Amino acid sequence: MYDTIIIGCGPAGMTAALYLLRANKKVLILEKETIGGQISSSPLVENYPGVAQISGSALANNMYEQIDALGAEIELEEVKKIESGIVKKVITDENEYECKSIIIATGSKYRLLGLENEVDLIGSGVHFCVSCDGAFYKDKTVAVIGGGNSALINAISLADICNKVYLIQLLDYLTAEKALQERLSKKDNVEVLLSHSVKKLNGTDQLESITLDDDTELKVDGMFVAVGQIPQNDFAKGVIKLDERNYIDSDDAKTNEEGIFVAGDCRKKAYRQLTTACNDGTNAALDVIAYLDSYE
Ligand SMILES: Cc1cc2nc3c(=O)[nH]c(=O)nc-3n(C[C@H](O)[C@H](O)[C@H](O)COP(=O)(O)OP(=O)(O)OC[C@H]3O[C@@H](n4cnc5c(N)ncnc54)[C@H](O)[C@@H]3O)c2cc1C
């Protein structure tokens, strides 16, 4: 029986594994897609302390090599269901495992616009996170897509860095809270385009412009998509308390079920970043170690 099964091999899961393996625990990591998680698709990371610049895939690979050297056991399987109890069960598309504790570190996915070549341009003009990539667009022109709180927070931050910011919202009104709308209205370099959507992304290796639904072409250097995130927590429904947006509802690493912990972007929290994911991974692992000490 495993001491801990970690679901998700992103930065949160790998940080938790690092602590648990160094504490000599028997650990299995289950990953359904890419070892490394979301960051693997980022061409350049500049906000991970101690490393000035690194590609996301190289950073993820460094994390993987560190846990691999400690003997990490990883299976590429998708978790479909978990069962609580003193002995917990983790059921994947291929196997059923037993363990004393579980760390859920399944992350989230940015919602895309569904446009042709959108995925190819991620990191080359198409972005999701201003605190990650906003600085690349100093003195440039960008578009933010969306009209909710995240979109406005992004547009307000970008307005301080960029020459010009377009905010493009499908509805004929902004859904963000009033205080944010007031802050946005004070930014002279932001142009809000309501009742518009992006029809086409132009550029092959790098985004050059976007075409709107009325065929207007806007020259932009970058586009930040802020139309929501999708947490990957469906398998935990009915066992773990989720909030109204499907994030695991917990203030720290402990969930409502004893011995089941959570780390990273899949949990309810304000900031979803590499450093916050690693922080969560540490907290979850240390809580697991304490839990295992008292496990009978
Ligand atoms: C393009 C891009 C660029 C980014 N750039 C930056 C940046 O520069 N700086 C920064 O701080 N942050 C950046 N981020 C955000 C950062 O990548 C995330 O905050 C971080 O990866 C979260 O880590 P995590 O381990 O919680 O989740 P994730 O990285 O999402 O990892 C979760 C893993 O769990 C797996 N999983 C999900 N469900 C299951 C299941 N049922 N069974 C098995 N496995 C499952 C997923 O496949 C995934 O590999 C960026 C994100 C993207 C998409």
Side-chain angles (χ1 to χ4, degrees), residues 3-289:
D3 289 322
T4 308
I5 291 183
I6 299 172
I7 310 173
C9 194
M14 288 198 279
T15 304
L18 176 64
Y19 276 78
L20 289 164
L21 291 165
R22 294 187 74 240
N24 216 19
K25 303 299 175 197
K26 188 170 162 56
V27 178
L28 172 66
I29 308 174
L30 296 168
E31 169 56 52
K32 70 169 178 176
E33 284 172 13
T34 316
I35 288 176
Q38 291 173 61
I39 202 61
S40 311
S41 63
S42 171
L44 188 59
V45 177
E46 289 191 334
N47 60 0
Y48 194 76
V51 192
Q53 290 195 324
I54 190 166
S55 76
S57 57
L59 181 61
N61 197 46
N62 288 349
M63 291 184 188
Y64 168 71
E65 282 181 357
Q66 196 174 0
I67 58 168
D68 186 48
L70 293 167
E73 197 180 329
I74 303 178
E75 296 295 343
L76 289 177
E77 295 174 26
E78 177 171 357
V79 174
K80 297 287 194 187
K81 203 173 152 208
I82 54 173
E83 288 175 11
S84 58
I86 293 290
V87 175
K88 293 153 192 62
K89 285 191 180 157
V90 177
I91 297 129
T92 73
D93 45 0
E94 293 178 35
N95 287 301
E96 188 171 308
Y97 299 97
E98 288 187 341
C99 55
K100 297 176 185 170
S101 62
I102 296 173
I103 296 177
I104 302 174
T106 44
S108 68
K109 283 194 171 175
Y110 284 101
R111 208 181 289 279
L112 297 168
L113 300 176
L115 299 169
E116 204 185 325
N117 70 351
E118 187 180 8
V119 172
D120 296 339
L121 288 173
I122 289 177
S124 303
V126 174
H127 303 271
F128 305 96
C129 165
V130 168
S131 45
C132 309
D133 300 334
F136 301 136
Y137 293 94
K138 189 172 178 328
D139 300 330
K140 298 199 169 166
T141 298
V142 297
V144 175
I145 318 302
N149 286 350
S150 306
L152 267 72
I153 289 166
N154 283 353
I156 291 164
S157 313
L158 286 165
D160 293 335
I161 305 169
C162 303
N163 277 344
K164 168 93 185 174
V165 179
Y166 294 102
L167 181 77
I168 300 165
Q169 155 77 323
L170 183 63
L171 303 173
D172 62 0
Y173 60 95
L174 298 174
T175 56
E177 58 195 47
K178 282 280 166 290
L180 286 171
Q181 297 194 32
E182 274 163 29
R183 279 175 59 201
L184 186 80
S185 67
K186 293 193 181 112
K187 303 285 179 189
D188 296 336
N189 56 344
V190 178
E191 186 174 340
V192 179
L193 300 171
L194 298 175
S195 305
H196 278 296
S197 60
V198 181
K199 184 166 93 174
K200 194 162 172 275
L201 304 178
N202 307 305
T204 38
D205 299 330
Q206 177 69 37
L207 183 70
E208 289 164 8
S209 67
I210 56 177
T211 306
L212 303 186
D213 50 350
D214 62 359
D215 289 326
T216 311
E217 186 178 343
L218 299 177
K219 292 264 172 234
V220 294
D221 302 291
M223 175 178 90
F224 287 79
V225 182
V227 294
Q229 291 192 43
I230 312 166
Q232 307 289 294
N233 293 328
D234 280 355
F235 69 92
K237 269 184 187 158
V239 181
I240 301 298
K241 193 171 159 219
L242 305 180
D243 73 2
E244 66 292 346
R245 290 158 66 212
N246 242 12
Y247 288 103
I248 291 177
D249 198 349
S250 74
D251 294 329
D252 53 28
K254 295 182 185 74
T255 70
N256 56 300
E257 281 296 328
E258 213 186 340
I260 304 185
F261 301 84
V262 60
D265 281 14
C266 62
R267 85 177 179 86
K268 184 177 82 177
K269 60 179 184 174
Y271 304 113
R272 295 192 169 81
Q273 293 282 286
L274 282 168
T275 47
T276 62
C278 295
N279 168 67
D280 280 359
T282 304
N283 287 334
L286 295 177
D287 276 354
V288 163
I289 291 167

